[in-house]
């Protein structure tokens, strides 16, 4: 096979390096210190997260990636305050967080729009919880709905929308509260490839234009590289930080960069981290027990 | 349309077929009833005497068992007396459809036998009131308690074990007690319907509340909703459609307690009408009255279903009846 000569993912152009220096001078928005989570299951305690520490700066876009079951959802749920940590602390703007709050918006993988509310009322929900008057909330909600391009559907109910549209409303609903950070747990996981690409472009555009820090979970390597300033790679059993990668692909991003050397170099590195070369699957005895189940004199002898 | 389509698992029938099938669900039992009533050789264990002939104790229009009639016929033939004639008939407790249909109309137009007695529609109205109050009072306490039990573990632990125990006690068993406490008129009947409905209601609604998708609650929390807001802005609207369906089913149960309830103290309402008519052996009226209950129940339910579709526009069309 033809071997591609790729630069190291650690090599950054001056422009990119400059940007990261400036990024790290921004105030720290989210600080996670020695975070651990142990679940008590029927088979004894399960360590889902162990000693997770990292920092996120203002208006940074961080992606979290890692093998299935490494505790990505657990991490984001702790950050959102939906789950208490077993150890460690989460600081937002230097203050410890306890329980869920409107300063941390969340977009879930499943569709969590309130089915009994129209799109507009869904987006108004957080504003009303914050004590905004009905008129003000309505006006503000319409602006956010406009931002995600769904003005025409303001009066529709969630069941009348497509999956991509639902997630756009969910984003608008979370953003309407003007949270400090937007937490997203595989928000585009259930969407088809095209819708997904479109949603990624929307999200980048939104991120570029408003004051928001984003922590985005995904298991799609391309998605992580395309979206993120930095990628937090987790390892499983127990969930620990493997590496915090600075994506060397220059900003602003465009789909044209998917085949750039920096992009591919980063992807190669992620592949190495997430699917280590010595196939770990075999160690777990996790392979198919295959035997030939095609009749001997079948017309189609072999698929090759 | 092939029959395969009729038995496709969890696939909706086409609208036309659906309507026709629903219609058949009423036509089929009616057909069976008509066959038994109008085809002389199906069942018909009695003989209605047309001409007594030489049998001394036979009278015109008398119903006798077929064996008895055949025996008397044989004896009369042997003794060369005038032969009795008759036609196959069903027992008096199974009137034919047309008789019930006539009774249906007649029941509303015939004056009561005694001056103090009630017309059928008055009896029915009495029953409806008893049901209404029983169900209303039960819901007044049962719905909030159910929702609270489904939302807060504390409330659930505090009430549900006892409710679970109480629901096994048959409501009619409290009849005598209810009369002793509440007198003989409407109050004990309402109490029986209350007892029969309330405990089931709490458990059913608590369960429905627990089935609310927890991620909706989590989403609301990340949007800043707390305690009371969570209950009133998420839990209640989130379950209200299912709650409404539960209430329709529970109302059906309340109806089934009606007959027992109305027998307590002074018998009243539609039950009084039914027992009275059965005493006079007007079984066509009895059937008419029973059907009246069915029709009333079904109409209420259809009405509520229709109303439900209007109040809950976010439900997918035709997702529920
Ligand atoms: N409520 C719970 N009780 C017990 N164990 C749990 C619970 N929630 C998560 N876990 C365990 O913690 C580990 C991490 O789960 P988590 O859902 O965070 O993984 P994930 O990285 O989000 O996986 P995926 O990529 O499949 O979404 C898993 O081993 C899971 O079995
Ligand atoms: Mg997950």
């Amino acid at each position: 096979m033809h071997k591609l000569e790729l630069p190291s993912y650690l090599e950054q152009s001056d422009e990119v390096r400059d940007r990261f220096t400036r990024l790290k001078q921004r105030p720290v928005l989210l600080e996670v210190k020695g975070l651990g989570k142990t679940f008590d299951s029927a088979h004894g305690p399960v360590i889902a997260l162990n000693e997770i520490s990292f920092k996120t700066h203002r208006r940074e876009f961080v992606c979290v990636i890692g093998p299935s079951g490494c505790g990505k959802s657990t991490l984001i749920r702790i950050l959102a305050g939906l789950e208490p940590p077993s150890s460690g602390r989460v600081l937002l703007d230097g203050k410890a967080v306890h329980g869920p709050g409107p300063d941390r918006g969340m977009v879930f993988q499943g569709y969590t729009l309130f089915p009994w509310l129209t799109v507009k009322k869904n987006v108004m929900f957080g504003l009303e919880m914050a004590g905004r008057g009905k008129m003000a909330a309505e006006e503000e909600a319409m602006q956010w709905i406009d931002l995600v391009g769904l003005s025409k559907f303001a009066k529709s109910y969630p069941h009348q929308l497509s999956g991509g549209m639902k997630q756009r409303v969910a984003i608008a609903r979370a953003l309407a509260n003007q949270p400090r950070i937007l937490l997203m747990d595989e928000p585009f996981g259930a969407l088809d490839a095209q819708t997904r690409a479109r949603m990624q472009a929307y999200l980048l555009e939104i991120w570029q234009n408003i004051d928001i820090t984003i922590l985005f979970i995904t298991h799609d390597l391309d998605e992580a590289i395309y979206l993120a300033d930095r990628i937090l790679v987790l390892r499983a059993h127990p969930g620990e930080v493997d590496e915090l990668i600075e994506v060397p692909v220059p900003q602003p991003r465009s789909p044209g960069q998917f085949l750039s050397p920096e992009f591919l170099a980063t992807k190669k590195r992620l592949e190495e981290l997430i699917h280590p070369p010595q196939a770990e699957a075999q160690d777990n005895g996790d392979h198919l027990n295959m035997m030939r189940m095609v009749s001997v004199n079948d017309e189609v002898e072999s698929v090759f | 349309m092939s029959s395969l389509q009729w038995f496709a698992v969890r696939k909706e029938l086409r609208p036309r077929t659906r309507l026709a099938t629903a219609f058949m669900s009423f036509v089929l039992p009616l057909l069976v009833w008509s066959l038994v009533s109008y085809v002389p050789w199906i069942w018909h264990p009695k003989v209605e005497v047309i001409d007594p002939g030489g049998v001394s104790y036979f009278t015109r229009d008398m119903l006798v068992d077929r064996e008895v009639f055949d025996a008397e016929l044989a004896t009369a033939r042997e003794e060369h007396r005038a032969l009795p004639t008759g036609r196959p008939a069903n027992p008096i407790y199974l009137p034919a459809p047309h008789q019930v249909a006539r009774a249906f109309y007649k029941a509303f137009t015939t004056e009561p036998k005694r001056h103090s007695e009630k017309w059928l529609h008055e009896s029915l109205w009495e029953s409806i009131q008893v049901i209404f109050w029983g169900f209303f009072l039960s819901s007044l306490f049962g719905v909030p308690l159910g929702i609270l039990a489904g939302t807060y573990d504390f409330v659930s632990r505090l009430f549900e074990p006892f409710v679970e125990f109480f629901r096994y006690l048959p409501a009619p068993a409290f009849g005598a007690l209810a009369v002793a406490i509440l007198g003989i008129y409407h109050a004990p009947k309402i109490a029986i319907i209350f007892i029969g409905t309330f405990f089931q209601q709490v458990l059913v609604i608590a369960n429905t509340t627990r089935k609310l998708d927890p991620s909706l609650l989590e989403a609301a929390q990340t949007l800043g909703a707390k305690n009371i807001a969570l209950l009133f802005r998420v839990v209640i609207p989130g379950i209200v459609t299912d709650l409404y369906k539960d209430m329709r089913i529970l109302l059906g149960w309340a109806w089934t307690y009606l007959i027992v309830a109305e027998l307590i103290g002074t018998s009243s309402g539609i039950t009084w009408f039914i027992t009275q008519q059965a005493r006079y052996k007007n079984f066509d009226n009895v059937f008419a009255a029973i059907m009246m209950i069915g029709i009333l129940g079904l109409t209420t339910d259809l009405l509520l279903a229709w109303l439900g579709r209007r109040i809950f526009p976010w439900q997918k069309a035709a997702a529920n009846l």
Side-chain angles (χ1 to χ4, degrees):
Chain A
M1 222 167 74
H2 179 70
K3 198 123 171 80
L4 219 66
E5 278 303 323
L6 289 176
S8 160
Y9 72 100
L10 292 171
E11 252 173 56
Q12 295 175 350
S13 66
D14 293 341
E15 192 191 339
V16 170
R17 189 173 318 113
D18 218 42
R19 187 165 173 276
F20 275 115
T21 322
R22 274 181 286 126
L23 193 150
K24 283 182 227 166
Q25 280 163 358
R26 294 185 204 157
V28 173
L29 186 109
L30 177 78
E31 185 170 6
V32 176
K33 280 187 182 166
L35 202 69
K37 179 73 185 180
T38 309
F39 288 107
D40 292 314
S41 75
H43 314 288
V46 177
I47 302 175
L49 293 175
N50 187 30
E51 284 293 320
I52 303 273
S53 298
F54 66 95
K55 282 182 194 160
T56 305
H57 299 268
R58 264 194 62 187
R59 295 198 64 183
E60 191 181 357
F61 199 131
V62 180
C63 279
V64 181
I65 202 164
S68 183
C70 69
K72 303 183 294 290
S73 296
T74 310
L75 172 64
I76 210 163
R77 287 172 56 80
I78 293 175
L79 298 184
L82 295 170
E83 197 104 57
S86 308
S87 62
R89 296 202 299 158
V90 177
L91 304 175
L92 188 76
D93 287 322
K95 289 185 288 287
V97 301
H98 298 286
D103 51 352
R104 284 148 293 142
M106 177 114 169
V107 178
F108 299 79
Q109 171 170 10
Y111 305 122
T112 56
L113 295 182
F114 304 123
W116 59 91
L117 297 178
T118 58
V119 165
K120 188 171 76 181
K121 292 266 173 65
N122 260 288
V123 178
M124 281 167 67
F125 186 91
L127 296 166
E128 287 180 352
M129 288 298 126
R132 213 67 57 84
K134 202 171 158 70
M135 293 298 273
E138 207 169 312
E139 204 170 304
E140 240 171 289
M142 281 315 292
Q143 284 173 13
W144 290 104
I145 293 169
D146 207 31
L147 184 84
V148 296
L150 289 174
S151 307
K152 264 193 271 172
F153 295 90
K155 290 203 170 72
S156 304
Y157 284 96
H159 74 83
Q160 297 164 317
L161 305 181
S162 71
M165 279 150 68
K166 278 185 212 171
Q167 285 309 59
R168 269 146 74 188
V169 178
I171 292 170
R173 183 176 70 170
L175 288 177
N177 264 2
Q178 305 204 316
R180 300 291 292 149
I181 187 167
L182 185 62
L183 306 167
M184 307 179 87
D185 188 356
E186 302 198 29
F188 310 147
L191 305 179
D192 63 88
Q194 278 155 19
T195 316
R196 194 177 180 139
R198 205 151 0 106
M199 294 291 289
Q200 290 166 353
Y202 283 139
L203 185 63
L204 279 180
E205 210 173 312
I206 290 170
W207 169 67
Q208 282 154 15
N209 288 304
I210 65 175
D211 174 11
I212 188 79
T213 309
I214 299 182
L215 191 104
F216 187 106
I217 290 187
T218 175
H219 59 249
D220 179 335
L221 308 184
D222 289 322
E223 185 170 65
I225 303 166
Y226 179 50
L227 294 177
D229 283 319
R230 295 194 292 173
I231 302 174
L232 183 73
V233 186
L234 297 185
R235 129 170 41 90
H237 311 299
E240 286 176 329
V241 178
D242 214 355
E243 189 174 351
L244 186 58
I245 294 179
E246 295 179 354
V247 180
V249 184
Q251 294 270 15
R253 301 281 162 72
S254 70
Q257 291 168 317
F258 272 102
L259 292 173
S260 70
E262 302 92 355
F263 197 103
L264 295 175
T266 317
K267 187 164 176 186
K268 181 162 156 263
R269 176 61 184 163
L270 288 178
E271 294 270 15
E272 281 165 10
L273 289 173
I274 290 170
H275 314 292
Q278 76 280 12
E280 70 172 64
Q282 285 193 349
D283 302 345
N284 303 339
D286 182 13
H287 53 88
L288 296 181
N289 245 331
M290 233 22 212
M291 52 184 162
R292 203 180 142 88
M293 293 205 286
V294 182
S295 92
V296 186
N297 41 17
D298 195 310
E299 275 176 62
V300 183
E301 273 174 43
S302 153
V303 286
F304 300 114
Chain B
M1 171 179 292
S2 80
S3 64
L4 272 180
Q5 277 170 306
W6 294 5
F7 293 98
V9 173
R10 300 207 61 167
K11 287 272 163 13
E12 280 195 4
L13 293 173
R14 291 191 206 159
R16 288 266 304 277
T17 327
R18 201 159 46 188
L19 211 67
T21 328
F23 185 64
M24 283 306 279
S25 93
F26 282 94
V27 169
L28 282 178
L30 193 64
L31 201 70
V32 173
W33 185 17
S34 301
L35 281 177
V36 172
S37 300
Y38 299 129
V39 181
W41 62 85
I42 297 182
W43 203 37
H44 288 79
K46 299 272 186 184
V47 175
E48 185 185 343
V49 178
I50 297 171
D51 177 4
V55 184
S56 55
Y57 68 94
F58 277 10
T59 53
R60 237 183 94 75
D61 295 341
M62 182 183 189
L63 278 185
V64 291
D65 287 345
R66 184 160 350 155
E67 294 84 50
V68 175
F69 184 87
D70 288 347
E72 290 296 348
L73 186 67
T75 333
R77 194 172 284 139
E78 240 167 59
E79 297 175 1
H80 305 290
R81 282 188 273 132
L83 298 181
T85 55
R87 62 166 160 265
N90 276 329
I92 188 155
Y93 57 78
L94 185 75
H98 75 272
Q99 291 169 306
V100 174
R102 182 162 9 99
F104 214 89
Y105 156 78
K106 224 173 52 191
F108 285 100
T109 51
T110 36
E111 228 172 300
K113 288 223 159 110
R114 268 181 261 138
H115 195 63
S116 62
E117 290 176 354
K118 291 196 165 71
W119 289 69
L120 174 57
H121 57 87
E122 289 173 317
S123 298
L124 263 176
W125 180 235
E126 224 173 26
S127 294
I128 291 172
Q129 279 177 309
V130 167
I131 285 271
F132 173 80
W133 285 111
F135 192 71
F136 175 77
L137 288 175
S138 167
S139 304
L140 195 64
F141 298 101
V143 173
L145 190 58
I147 292 176
L148 288 176
T151 311
Y152 303 110
D153 199 34
F154 172 73
V155 182
S156 160
R157 307 272 164 189
L158 188 61
F159 288 100
E160 275 188 68
F162 179 74
V163 168
E164 191 80 56
F165 157 76
F166 210 103
R167 117 188 133 108
Y168 283 101
L169 309 184
F174 293 89
L177 198 63
V179 170
I181 299 171
L182 296 168
I184 55 170
Y185 299 107
H186 282 350
K189 307 176 208 305
I190 292 170
I192 295 302
I193 290 181
F194 179 92
I195 293 172
T197 315
F198 176 78
F199 299 96
Q200 315 281 354
Q201 196 168 32
V202 172
L203 294 179
V204 167
I205 289 174
N207 259 328
T208 296
T209 311
R210 273 191 277 269
K211 272 191 281 184
L212 177 70
D213 182 358
S215 61
L216 291 182
L217 288 169
E218 290 183 342
Q221 282 176 297
T222 62
L223 292 169
K226 294 212 165 61
N227 311 324
I228 295 293
L230 221 43
L231 181 64
F232 282 96
R233 298 290 305 271
V234 185
V235 175
I236 294 177
I239 62 161
V240 75
T241 48
D242 284 336
L243 183 84
Y244 189 80
K245 275 181 231 167
D246 287 345
M247 293 296 269
R248 275 168 57 198
I249 294 172
L250 285 159
L251 184 59
W253 289 357
W255 272 101
T256 62
Y257 278 104
L258 177 70
I259 299 292
V260 201
E262 282 183 338
L263 283 172
I264 286 163
T266 52
S267 135
S268 71
I270 191 76
T271 312
W272 170 84
F273 182 85
I274 289 173
T275 36
Q276 199 72 359
Q277 294 302 315
R279 197 170 297 152
Y280 301 141
K281 294 220 191 315
N282 293 335
F283 286 101
D284 42 359
N285 284 353
V286 170
F287 275 85
I290 290 175
M291 265 177 213
M292 201 80 69
I293 299 179
I295 289 170
L296 217 60
L298 186 64
T299 329
T300 329
D301 194 62
L302 288 177
L303 216 69
L304 288 176
W306 173 84
L307 199 68
R309 283 197 295 269
R310 314 230 109 196
I311 359 185
F312 309 126
W314 63 89
Q315 276 195 315
K316 289 189 195 94
N320 66 319
L321 182 76

